[in-house]
Amino acid sequence: MEKSIGFSEEKGEWHIKILIEGPDGAGKTTLVRKLADHFRCDIMVMTEKGSKEFRDYMHKCQLENVVSDRSFLSEMVYTRVFQRHSNLMQSEYEFLLKHYLNCGWQILILNASTKCLTERLNLRGDEDEYKVRNINKLRLAYNDLSIAYGLPQFDSETLDIEQLIEDLGEGKYVQHR
């Protein structure tokens, strides 16, 4: 298993693979930007309009020195909550999760209270009303995902980002599969 985060003294650079997940309004993009700035790495953004093919998720898994804003896990959660068609079967989601962890990805779930998420989405003003009305279902689905797969979950309302960065650098949240 590869290490999620490490600093190469020889090269003077970080080696990092972090994937941030959570419902809309949880603060993923803000956290991703701060992590990318700190660790001097690239940002990968996966959107609902991007490819949802198994081979493309496998390709993205091979990327290095990157913080990802969403992933195949968002596809899994959102297709379940909104009862949409998914290009992937449950076994493929589970394979991808194990594969990402084995390739050294650190997967973190960012969440918040329903009230906070709703307020943030309303402030943004660019969210679908149906999504806003169902934000509690999304919040709970991410909570269930965190529990089911042993993924660390953080409350963005109380998160100390500087402490999280320090903890990540020390390998505090490394997951094993």
Side-chain angles (χ1 to χ4, degrees), residues 12-57:
E13 63 185 33
W14 286 95
H15 164 80
I16 184 167
K17 293 179 173 184
I18 299 177
L19 195 154
I20 306 296
E21 275 291 350
D24 292 280
K28 293 177 303 301
T29 302
T30 299
L31 178 58
V32 164
R33 287 179 184 148
K34 289 184 180 188
L35 291 171
D37 285 346
H38 177 81
F39 292 112
R40 297 183 310 266
C41 62
D42 293 326
I43 295 174
M44 176 173 53
V45 179
M46 294 191 206
T47 68
E48 63 184 288
K49 295 179 176 89
S51 172
K52 296 179 180 43
E53 298 297 325
F54 181 81
R55 70 179 178 277
D56 294 323
Y57 288 125

Side-chain angles (χ1 to χ4, degrees), residues 67-109:
V67 179
S68 180
D69 188 339
R70 293 200 179 277
S71 71
F72 60 93
L73 294 171
S74 286
E75 177 66 9
M76 182 172 73
V77 168
Y78 279 76
T79 55
R80 286 183 183 165
V81 170
F82 294 111
Q83 299 177 346
R84 310 187 293 221
H85 168 74
S86 174
N87 290 342
L88 302 177
M89 296 181 297
Q90 180 64 31
S91 60
E92 291 174 310
Y93 286 121
E94 291 181 10
F95 178 88
L96 285 167
L97 177 60
K98 288 178 185 173
H99 187 66
Y100 270 65
L101 292 172
N102 286 332
C103 287
W105 284 84
Q106 179 68 56
I107 302 173
L108 309 176
I109 307 292

Side-chain angles (χ1 to χ4, degrees), residues 26-27 31 110 154-164 173:
L31 178 58
L110 198 57
F154 301 89
D155 182 343
S156 66
E157 295 174 82
T158 59
L159 180 64
D160 179 341
I161 294 176
E162 297 306 316
Q163 184 63 53
L164 176 63
Y173 303 108

